[in-house]
């Protein structure tokens, strides 16, 4: 593992700073103590490997993050890295790691977990297309509105890929292509 992951990386989106790391930060206890919401999740999935993921959100300009999420996850490693997508207009945060999917939203100045879901056989990535967020996993593609409302999900089998053109999704599963509306699903 690279030394760069020994301490969290920070990504700024406007006034919101999101810290992520693959090892616990030295000040994790302080982060948890000062957070409005701090959650820790054990390993999920049945793989023999497990990874660690740390995320903290500081969106009020103070010294300490207000949301802290730590988790062990499986599967991890090549192709199964954690992912985060933040929608600033909705103050909505999507997290994927292993088979666990999480969504958090800041409402009335406080962070709340909206939902927890599972990615079939392991999370791959998040992508935003207008007001729809698509999650890719080993055996699943699913969509939510940017406010966290689930729209649809469907089974896929590798190799598979998709692309979005306007409001149409073109889903290619092992050479069989089908097209459907982005917010309505297959």
């Amino acid at each position: 593992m690279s030394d760069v992951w020994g301490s969290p990386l920070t990504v700024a989106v406007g006034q919101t700073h999101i810290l992520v790391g693959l090892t616990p930060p030295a000040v994790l206890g302080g982060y948890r103590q000062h957070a409005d919401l701090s959650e820790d999740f054990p390993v999920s999935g049945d793989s023999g490997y497990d990874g660690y993921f740390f995320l903290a959100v500081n969106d009020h300009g103070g010294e300490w993050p207000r949301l802290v999420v730590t988790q062990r996850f499986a599967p991890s490693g090549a192709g199964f890295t954690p992912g985060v997508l933040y929608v600033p207009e909705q103050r909505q945060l999507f997290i994927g790691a292993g088979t666990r999917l999480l969504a958090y939203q800041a409402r009335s100045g406080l962070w709340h977990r909206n939902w927890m879901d599972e990615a079939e056989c392991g999370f791959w990535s998040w992508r935003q297309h207008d007001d729809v967020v698509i999650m890719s996993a080993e055996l699943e593609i699913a969509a939510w509105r940017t406010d966290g409302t689930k729209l649809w999900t469907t089974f896929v089998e590798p190799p598979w890929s998709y692309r979005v053109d306007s409001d149409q999704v073109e889903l290619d599963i092992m050479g069989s292509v089908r097209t459907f509306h982005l917010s309505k699903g297959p």
Side-chain angles (χ1 to χ4, degrees), residues 12-66:
V13 180
Q15 298 299 315
T16 302
H17 293 184
I18 301 169
L19 294 80
V20 295
L22 297 178
T23 60
V27 295
L28 180 58
Y31 286 162
R32 286 185 172 147
Q33 178 183 357
H34 292 90
D36 295 331
L37 178 60
S38 177
E39 295 194 298
D40 180 58
F41 297 94
V43 70
S44 66
D46 57 4
S47 170
Y49 301 102
D50 70 283
Y52 177 89
F53 184 60
F54 161 82
L55 176 136
V57 179
N58 184 341
D59 61 347
H60 68 298
E63 291 183 44
W64 298 100
R66 295 185 327 134

Side-chain angles (χ1 to χ4, degrees), residues 43-51 73-77 80-82 97-99 119 121-123:
V43 70
S44 66
D46 57 4
S47 170
Y49 301 102
D50 70 283
F73 65 92
S76 65
F80 297 102
T81 56
T99 59
C121 282
F123 168 83

Side-chain angles (χ1 to χ4, degrees), residues 158-175:
W160 71 272
S161 63
Y162 82 94
R163 68 182 198 91
V164 175
D165 185 11
S166 184
D167 62 355
Q168 296 295 302
V169 176
E170 183 179 283
L171 179 60
D172 181 338
I173 303 172
M174 299 174 63

Side-chain angles (χ1 to χ4, degrees), residues 113-132:
R113 179 167 22 111
N114 281 359
W115 48 259
M116 181 172 14
D117 204 340
E118 282 194 29
E120 194 70 35
C121 282
F123 168 83
W124 284 356
S125 68
W126 298 106
R127 289 196 186 124
Q128 184 176 345
H129 304 277
D130 296 322
D131 67 341
V132 175

